[in-house]
Amino acid sequence: VQLQASGGGLVQAGGSLRLSCTTSGITFTNYDMGWFRQSPGKEREFVSHIMSSGSGSGTYYGDSVKGRFTISRDNTKRTIYLQMNSLKPEDTAIYHCVARRHMAFGYFTSDRYSYWGQGTQVTVSS
């Protein structure tokens, strides 16, 4: 199983970035997908989650990103996206793509995910 995240970079506060995560080795439509982030000295933080296609692709967001970030999935490309708008310096972190076979609970808990990507760095300057 591979989760390949991309799209990170350096952006000024107020700007936007779109992260992508392309998968292989899983039956993509059966998997919940999501994003966590971590920055030095801080705990790993839940960012966003999208349910498997068979469960309606419902979405969830952490409180700190709600209204600014949007998660989506493209089953034909086996890829998820995280559109990040109105970025703030506190969004600076390594963003990790995660995957798990669908389950109806625990989407905000990192140890509920079976697979993790290597991460992509997002840096927001003030």
Side-chain angles (χ1 to χ4, degrees), residues 79-93:
T79 298
I80 64 167
Y81 303 97
L82 185 69
Q83 178 66 43
M84 306 186 296
N85 297 330
S86 302
L87 283 162
K88 305 175 182 180
E90 50 264 44
D91 294 319
T92 295

Side-chain angles (χ1 to χ4, degrees), residues 3 16 22 31 41 46 75-76 79 92 105 113-114 116 119-120 126:
L3 307 177
S16 298
T22 301
Y31 274 68
F46 167 72
N75 293 330
T76 63
T79 298
T92 295
F105 54 88
Y113 292 85
S114 304
W116 286 70
T120 185
S126 57

Side-chain angles (χ1 to χ4, degrees), residues 18-30:
R18 189 177 80 154
L19 305 184
S20 301
C21 175
T22 301
T23 69
S24 61
I26 61 172
T27 304
F28 184 72
T29 53
N30 293 344

